[in-house]
Coordinates of all heavy atoms in Angstrom, one line a residue:
M908 N 73.8 109.8 113.5 CA 73.7 109.0 112.3 C 74.6 107.7 112.4 O 74.2 106.6 112.1 CB 74.2 109.8 111.1 CG 74.2 109.0 109.8 SD 74.7 110.1 108.4 CE 74.7 108.9 107.1
N909 N 75.9 107.9 112.9 CA 76.8 106.8 113.0 C 76.3 105.8 114.0 O 76.7 104.6 114.0 CB 78.2 107.3 113.3 CG 78.8 108.0 112.1 OD1 78.2 108.0 111.0 ND2 79.9 108.7 112.3
N910 N 75.6 106.2 115.0 CA 75.1 105.3 116.0 C 74.1 104.3 115.4 O 74.0 103.2 116.0 CB 74.4 106.1 117.2 CG 75.4 106.7 118.1 OD1 76.4 106.0 118.5 ND2 75.1 107.9 118.6
E911 N 73.5 104.6 114.3 CA 72.5 103.8 113.7 C 73.2 102.9 112.6 O 72.5 102.0 112.0 CB 71.4 104.6 113.1 CG 70.7 105.5 114.1 CD 69.7 106.4 113.4 OE1 69.6 106.4 112.2 OE2 69.0 107.2 114.2
F912 N 74.4 103.1 112.3 CA 75.1 102.3 111.3 C 75.3 100.9 111.8 O 75.8 100.6 112.9 CB 76.5 103.0 111.0 CG 77.1 102.5 109.7 CD1 76.9 103.1 108.5 CD2 77.9 101.3 109.7 CE1 77.5 102.7 107.3 CE2 78.5 100.9 108.5 CZ 78.3 101.5 107.3
N913 N 75.0 100.0 110.9 CA 75.0 98.5 111.3 C 76.5 98.0 111.3 O 77.2 98.2 110.3 CB 74.2 97.7 110.4 CG 74.2 96.2 110.7 OD1 73.9 95.9 111.9 ND2 74.5 95.4 109.8
Y914 N 76.9 97.4 112.4 CA 78.2 96.8 112.5 C 78.1 95.3 112.2 O 77.3 94.6 112.8 CB 78.8 97.0 113.9 CG 80.1 96.3 114.1 CD1 81.2 96.6 113.4 CD2 80.2 95.2 115.1 CE1 82.4 95.9 113.6 CE2 81.3 94.5 115.3 CZ 82.5 94.9 114.6 OH 83.7 94.2 114.8
A915 N 78.8 94.9 111.1 CA 78.7 93.5 110.7 C 79.9 92.7 111.0 O 80.1 91.6 110.4 CB 78.5 93.6 109.1
G916 N 80.7 93.2 111.9 CA 81.9 92.4 112.3 C 81.8 91.6 113.6 O 80.7 91.6 114.2
V954 N 85.7 95.3 107.1 CA 84.5 95.6 107.8 C 84.1 97.1 107.3 O 84.9 98.0 107.4 CB 84.6 95.6 109.3 CG1 83.3 96.1 110.0 CG2 84.8 94.1 109.7
Q955 N 82.8 97.2 107.0 CA 82.3 98.5 106.6 C 82.1 99.4 107.8 O 81.6 98.9 108.8 CB 81.0 98.3 105.8 CG 80.5 99.6 105.1 CD 81.4 100.1 104.1 OE1 82.1 101.2 104.2 NE2 81.5 99.4 102.9
T956 N 82.4 100.7 107.7 CA 82.2 101.6 108.8 C 81.5 102.8 108.3 O 81.4 103.0 107.0 CB 83.6 102.0 109.4 OG1 84.2 103.0 108.6 CG2 84.5 100.8 109.6
P957 N 81.0 103.7 109.1 CA 80.5 105.0 108.6 C 81.4 105.9 107.9 O 81.0 106.8 107.2 CB 80.0 105.7 109.9 CG 79.9 104.6 111.0 CD 81.0 103.6 110.6
W1002 N 86.3 102.9 115.4 CA 84.9 102.6 115.4 C 84.7 101.1 115.5 O 83.8 100.7 116.2 CB 84.3 103.2 114.1 CG 82.8 103.1 114.0 CD1 81.9 104.0 114.5 CD2 82.0 102.0 113.4 NE1 80.6 103.5 114.3 CE2 80.7 102.3 113.6 CE3 82.4 100.8 112.8 CZ2 79.7 101.5 113.1 CZ3 81.4 100.0 112.3 CH2 80.0 100.3 112.5
K1006 N 82.7 99.1 118.4 CA 81.6 98.3 118.1 C 81.8 96.8 118.5 O 80.9 96.1 118.8 CB 81.2 98.4 116.7 CG 80.5 99.8 116.3 CD 79.2 99.9 117.1 CE 78.4 101.1 116.6 NZ 77.1 101.2 117.3

Side-chain angles (χ1 to χ4, degrees):
M908 178 180 175
N909 293 347
N910 279 321
E911 299 172 2
F912 194 93
N913 182 52
Y914 173 64
V954 172
Q955 190 64 250
T956 80
W1002 188 87
K1006 288 295 187 177

